[in-house]
Amino acid sequence: MPDKAAGGGGKSSDFRPWPPGLVDSGVINPEALYEYYSAGVFGDDTELLAAAVSESWKGETLTTDIGHREWCEMFRAARPALRHPEPPGPLYRGCHPEHKRGMSWSNDQATARMYQKYHSGRTGRGGLYVTPMVDRREVLAYYPGKREFVLDPDRLVITQVDLIEAWDTKPPRSVWGRGFRTTPVSLSEAVTRRNATPRPR
């Protein structure tokens, strides 16, 4: 997903005048943004902070220029002015395996698979991951245009979808009795099946 070892960052908009010096060559660099935030430049103006965080997150510079704890700190401070709905179901992330505990997730599996394919082509390693149980308190922001949920990743339960699908399709028909399934299942359902089903030897 876009936080994404592939890039994030920000082009400035006309939301309102930005603090002097925040925008450099038309973008809001995450490192500069965090410096301004830490120095108290935004004060109690959560709307301005939310606009700046969103611009920096969604734009063209690397969101990985700062760590997820710094991002989470700013997103939480701006949260009153951001959308953070309850996720409608499992959320998915396509990325390099080393970055599976990231902040950018989608409720659209096709979007996540697009990023999985991107990383597979770019690095030779792309995984598709699911987090089935997300509390609204872990949702820092939601951007409907990209179907992107920004999450605090620290407490997420994450599993690899393709591993679940592989186990779900490979046992012989006699194991399930009702043919094969390829639809991704929840982590809890997958664990229950694996514990109850004899493994091939």
Side-chain angles (χ1 to χ4, degrees):
M1 299 292 290
D3 64 87
K4 325 166 206 134
K11 281 186 177 179
S12 68
S13 72
D14 296 326
F15 176 78
R16 64 176 68 180
W18 299 112
L22 178 62
V23 178
D24 181 16
S25 300
V27 300
I28 299 177
N29 182 278
E31 290 180 310
L33 176 61
Y34 187 70
E35 288 179 8
Y36 275 59
Y37 165 74
S38 300
V41 171
F42 293 96
D44 296 327
D45 194 340
T46 54
E47 289 189 3
L48 181 59
L49 175 61
V53 169
S54 295
E55 288 289 334
S56 188
W57 179 261
K58 295 189 295 179
E60 295 179 348
T61 61
L62 287 173
T63 57
T64 50
D65 284 350
I66 59 176
H68 81 266
R69 287 181 174 81
E70 287 81 7
W71 276 116
C72 286
E73 184 181 350
M74 291 192 291
F75 268 113
R76 288 198 183 282
R79 199 169 185 267
L82 292 167
R83 299 180 64 175
H84 40 83
E86 189 83 31
L91 299 180
Y92 300 91
R93 175 175 172 82
C95 62
H96 189 282
E98 291 181 0
H99 303 134
K100 67 180 181 181
R101 191 164 292 279
M103 297 178 65
S104 180
W105 295 76
S106 178
N107 62 312
D108 180 38
Q109 187 178 149
T111 298
R113 282 197 181 277
M114 178 182 69
Y115 284 102
Q116 176 194 20
K117 291 178 181 178
Y118 167 81
H119 288 286
S120 293
R122 184 168 180 254
T123 69
R125 298 184 65 194
L128 181 67
Y129 302 92
V130 61
T131 180
M133 298 167 283
V134 177
D135 189 286
R136 184 177 179 182
R137 291 171 295 182
E138 295 164 343
V139 177
L140 303 177
Y142 174 64
Y143 299 111
K146 301 171 72 174
R147 294 187 176 182
E148 180 185 16
F149 285 83
V150 181
L151 307 181
D152 182 342
D154 281 343
R155 297 183 180 180
L156 298 181
V157 176
I158 300 171
T159 192
Q160 189 168 346
V161 172
D162 293 343
L163 292 180
I164 294 176
E165 289 180 336
W167 177 249
D168 208 22
T169 57
K170 285 183 178 179
R173 290 180 182 271
S174 59
V175 172
W176 302 128
R178 288 185 292 178
F180 299 161
R181 286 182 51 184
T182 58
T183 303
V185 296
S186 70
L187 176 60
S188 57
E189 184 180 351
V191 171
T192 300
R193 288 184 186 180
R194 291 183 185 188
N195 291 340
T197 304
R199 301 290 182 102
R201 296 185 180 274

